[in-house]
Amino acid sequence: MRRPLLVTADETLLEELLRLAAAAGTTPDVAADPAGVLRAWATAPCVLVGDDVAARAVRCAPERRDGVRVVGWQADADTFRAALALGAEEVCELPRAESHLVALLLDLDDLGRAPGAVLGVVGGSGGAGATTLACALGQVAASCGAALVVDCDPQGPGADRVLGLEQEPGVRWDALVRGGGRLGASSLREAVPSRGGLGVLTWPHEALDGPARPAASPHAVGEAFGDACREAVAAGRRGHDLVVLDLPRAGDDLVADLAGRCDLVLVVVVPDVAAVASTQRTCRRLGETEALRLVVRGSGLDPAEVARVTGVPVAARLPDQRGLSEAVDLGLGPVRSHRGPLARTARALLALPEVGLVPARGRAA
Ligand SMILES: Nc1ncnc2c1ncn2[C@@H]1O[C@H](COP(=O)(O)OP(=O)(O)OP(=O)(O)O)[C@@H](O)[C@H]1O
Ligand SMILES: [Mg+2]
């Protein structure tokens, strides 16, 4: 892990900042005098300057850079003046800013990384192909960056199974819900089951003596699951190029809340009369959002007609893919070949301006 730079001569402040750094699992480089650390100032992943030496730091005229913060017990006008002169991003007052600073120190390795896109995928009707598409998007995105599939559907098959990652060790929902609190972007990325740039956050394996998942909606495990989901989306975005949410169709507030956090929500629709009627309801339950797009799977009604009836534009068509269950049973995930319909549709969806990923052809995790 890259070491942050702490500059302060105030022993109590130093002690407190070292404690926060330890909570974030990092050991900072420490200096009492800004004049001696001008090179480290330019290269450290972040710089925390005590308000006791902020004015002195201004006189040293360190290189302007992002990620500088002035920290103190009580900020006054001089503190803000110095922070402004240093080009600091903010002034952090302790103890109020404690958890903010811990979260910042947890994310050091990801500082400067552009936040990734968040794509929601939901089936317009049951069995439409949402989980399959969510996993395919993750596989294809992993060819050009870090991708995370977040399985928010307690009734689904388990995204780890669909992706062939069920044997990989790592943290699942039960551990995150128990842990609570702020998640670091890199800790989430490194903790979940993963292979080749593709991670999955999903449910624990079913225990032999009874189901380990909640029986009904995600709300059955209470507010804690909602908090864990929101935290995973935020940390996932900070630490990945793409986060794909496999959203359940059960229209509760949490699903609408998560959909509202997505850059795009893809509604997979089978183009027949009954499925389109279900899709209309699903879209309505997702709430007012400009971010809905249809993915029309298979053939049937004209996609333009489906768009007219639902009031949601079509982003892509997805022809049926042969040999899908075999590929999943073999642990290869739904994308077996980069020329197949799922890979082609996923590439087109990832290239949409709201997502902005241009995956390489011929490689999928
Ligand atoms: N692109 C596709 N081509 C062919 N078959 C598909 C495709 N997508 C999904 N299927 C098949 O449809 C079935 C349902 O797929 P999936 O589980 O992805 O749907 P879902 O919308 O997530 O369902 P649920 O309502 O249970 O969440 C599976 O048997 C899968 O193999
Ligand atoms: Mg599903």
Side-chain angles (χ1 to χ4, degrees):
M1 200 184 213
R2 298 165 64 206
R3 290 152 77 99
L5 176 63
L6 288 190
V7 193
T8 180
D10 175 336
E11 301 238 319
T12 340
L13 185 61
L14 176 62
E15 203 175 296
E16 180 62 2
L17 291 173
L18 287 175
R19 187 181 71 77
L20 298 179
T26 184
T27 317
D29 290 325
V30 178
D33 185 353
V37 286
L38 290 177
R39 189 173 328 119
W41 184 292
T43 56
C46 80
V47 182
L48 301 180
V49 191
D51 58 357
D52 58 307
V53 294
R56 182 159 164 61
V58 174
R59 289 196 292 281
C60 298
E63 207 170 287
R64 280 264 173 166
R65 52 157 293 166
D66 291 340
V68 175
R69 283 167 177 82
V70 174
V71 190
W73 298 110
Q74 206 161 24
D76 57 18
D78 287 342
T79 315
F80 283 100
R81 217 171 290 127
L84 210 60
L86 288 171
E89 284 179 26
E90 56 187 348
V91 172
C92 302
E93 253 188 15
L94 291 169
R96 204 158 31 93
E98 262 185 22
S99 59
H100 174 62
L101 284 172
V102 171
L104 184 98
L105 294 167
L106 270 169
D107 278 355
L108 279 189
D109 285 348
D110 292 300
L111 270 187
R113 174 188 192 117
V118 179
L119 262 183
V121 185
V122 64
S125 57
T131 298
T132 306
L133 179 63
C135 291
L137 285 162
Q139 279 187 289
V140 173
S143 70
C144 69
L148 177 69
V149 174
V150 180
D151 179 356
C152 305
D153 188 356
Q155 311 289 328
D160 55 339
R161 281 208 180 84
V162 178
L163 288 165
L165 292 174
E166 71 270 34
Q167 301 299 339
E168 300 295 328
V171 158
R172 291 156 187 274
W173 279 126
D174 51 337
L176 284 197
V177 170
R178 265 199 316 271
R182 262 314 278 260
L183 272 177
S186 48
S187 12
L188 177 68
R189 194 178 55 232
E190 278 146 34
V192 294
S194 66
R195 195 192 303 135
L198 174 62
V200 64
L201 176 54
T202 185
W203 304 89
H205 289 150
E206 220 104 296
L208 289 176
D209 54 355
R213 305 181 195 197
S217 85
H219 266 187
V221 285
E223 264 307 293
F225 178 71
D227 292 342
C229 279
R230 285 183 276 270
E231 200 47 54
V233 170
R237 196 196 268 284
R238 296 196 306 275
H240 294 80
D241 299 289
L242 180 77
V243 179
V244 190
L245 308 184
D246 180 12
L247 295 169
R249 284 197 322 117
D252 57 26
D253 293 346
L254 177 60
V255 175
D257 174 323
L258 293 174
R261 290 163 199 267
C262 294
D263 298 297
L264 269 187
V265 179
L266 304 173
V267 183
V268 184
V269 54
V270 176
D272 66 43
V273 172
V276 170
S278 290
T279 302
Q280 262 183 313
R281 295 205 184 90
T282 303
C283 292
R284 224 174 288 137
R285 279 199 308 262
L286 288 170
E288 284 294 306
T289 165
E290 297 281 292
L292 293 189
R293 301 285 183 281
L294 297 180
V295 174
V296 182
R297 171 160 79 94
S299 50
L301 296 172
D302 179 4
E305 182 60 11
V306 179
R308 194 189 61 75
V309 171
T310 54
V312 179
V314 175
R317 297 177 69 168
L318 174 59
D320 281 336
Q321 176 155 309
R322 277 185 292 143
L324 187 57
S325 346
E326 289 83 352
V328 171
D329 289 351
L330 286 169
L332 301 170
V335 175
R336 185 180 196 168
S337 142
H338 68 95
R339 282 193 224 98
L342 269 164
R344 274 189 276 122
T345 303
R347 274 198 300 274
L349 291 167
L350 294 173
L352 289 172
E354 293 84 350
V355 188
L357 284 184
V358 183
R361 293 188 82 223
R363 278 195 300 138

